[in-house]
Amino acid sequence: NAGVTQTPKFRILKIGQSMTLQCTQDMNHNYMYWYRQDPGMGLKLIYYSVGAGITDKGEVPNGYNVSRSTTEDFPLRLELAAPSQTSVYFCASSTTSNYGYTFGSGTRLTVV
Amino acid sequence: RKEVEQDPGPFNVPEGATVAFNCTYSNSASQSFFWYRQDCRKEPKLLMSVYSSGNEDGRFTAQLNRASQYISLLIRDSKLSDSATYLCVVNDNDMRFGAGTRLTVKP
């Protein structure tokens, strides 16, 4: 039972480069989320999705993009990476918006 | 005022101690409440939901006070393995995460 799988686990990007963070869940959850966690701060919501084909912005969407073509996959795209995007990124999923989340193990991204 | 506020700690306690964490939230319309546990360099994991009547899971007890807009987590007979950061989470149509309270249990 894999749950929520994120790849890669670590990545170093140069300023201006782009990359996609992958997230897959095998629990048939409709709701999926992308958060970033900075030291000493609570998790901040970047984007979320309530089902395949539906995405919406969270609290800190600038510099990111998402798509949700299937129930299982919810990739996060970083365009033109900036040092401010250095963070730990977590993908999560849930059965409903009012239920506890299952998180992936995270991606540690450094932009230099 | 932050939407969800927690004492950052750290709380350093000996094994067997009882420790309590509090969390306050700003939106009185918040609907559901949770405690998560996050180990160092790991993902958050759901510890327990918090119900209006209070609820207990083994050594862990969660309480909700809607009038004062705070939730609490009590850990009894603390173990070394309880060392982690505890995140308070409040749902007011968006899940809002506190920054966490760090607990270290020492032998």
Side-chain angles (χ1 to χ4, degrees):
Chain A
N1 188 3
V4 179
T5 302
Q6 287 184 241
T7 57
K9 292 192 183 305
F10 306 93
R11 184 72 185 267
I12 298 174
L13 276 183
K14 292 186 178 177
I15 294 171
Q17 286 186 321
S18 300
M19 76 166 293
T20 299
L21 283 65
Q22 302 291 346
C23 176
T24 299
Q25 53 95 7
D26 63 358
M27 297 173 286
N28 203 33
H29 285 171
N30 283 326
Y31 290 75
M32 294 188 75
Y33 313 86
W34 274 105
Y35 284 88
R36 60 177 287 172
Q37 186 176 36
D38 300 311
M41 307 287 286
L43 279 79
K44 300 292 184 187
L45 181 64
I46 305 171
Y47 269 95
Y48 67 98
S49 169
V50 301
I54 307 168
T55 62
D56 212 341
K57 295 178 180 179
E59 189 179 352
V60 290
N62 290 344
Y64 307 95
N65 244 311
V66 293
S67 60
R68 184 96 182 269
S69 56
T70 66
T71 300
E72 294 79 18
D73 299 309
F74 191 40
L76 177 72
R77 178 84 178 160
L78 276 73
E79 304 282 2
L80 298 174
S84 60
Q85 293 177 304
T86 294
S87 190
V88 181
Y89 291 83
F90 288 105
C91 178
S93 72
S94 64
T95 51
T96 70
S97 63
N98 205 33
Y99 199 71
Y101 295 173
T102 300
F103 282 87
S105 59
T107 296
R108 292 186 176 275
L109 175 66
T110 303
V111 182
V112 296
Chain B
R1 182 182 174 187
K2 286 185 181 177
E3 288 145 338
V4 179
E5 286 204 73
Q6 296 183 249
D7 181 340
F11 284 58
N12 297 307
V13 303
E15 265 186 298
T18 296
V19 61
F21 307 134
N22 289 326
C23 167
T24 58
Y25 59 95
S26 60
N27 188 342
S28 60
S30 298
Q31 304 144 14
S32 54
F33 309 86
F34 307 89
W35 284 102
Y36 280 73
R37 170 197 169 119
Q38 186 172 24
D39 292 293
C40 188
R41 300 179 74 83
K42 298 285 190 180
E43 73 272 23
K45 292 186 177 177
L46 180 63
L47 180 65
M48 58 198 301
S49 302
V50 186
Y51 303 120
S52 296
S53 54
N55 48 299
E56 189 173 305
D57 182 1
R59 298 180 293 108
F60 298 84
T61 301
Q63 297 277 355
L64 167 64
N65 185 320
R66 285 190 184 270
S68 301
Q69 293 178 213
Y70 79 81
I71 68 175
S72 64
L73 178 68
L74 183 77
I75 305 176
R76 291 182 299 279
D77 187 23
S78 50
K79 313 289 185 192
L80 296 176
S81 57
D82 294 334
S83 296
T85 296
Y86 291 84
L87 308 179
C88 168
V89 183
V90 174
N91 185 3
D92 63 1
N93 284 331
D94 291 318
M95 284 285 197
R96 305 200 184 272
F97 286 77
T101 298
R102 192 166 153 199
L103 171 67
T104 300
V105 181
K106 300 189 173 179

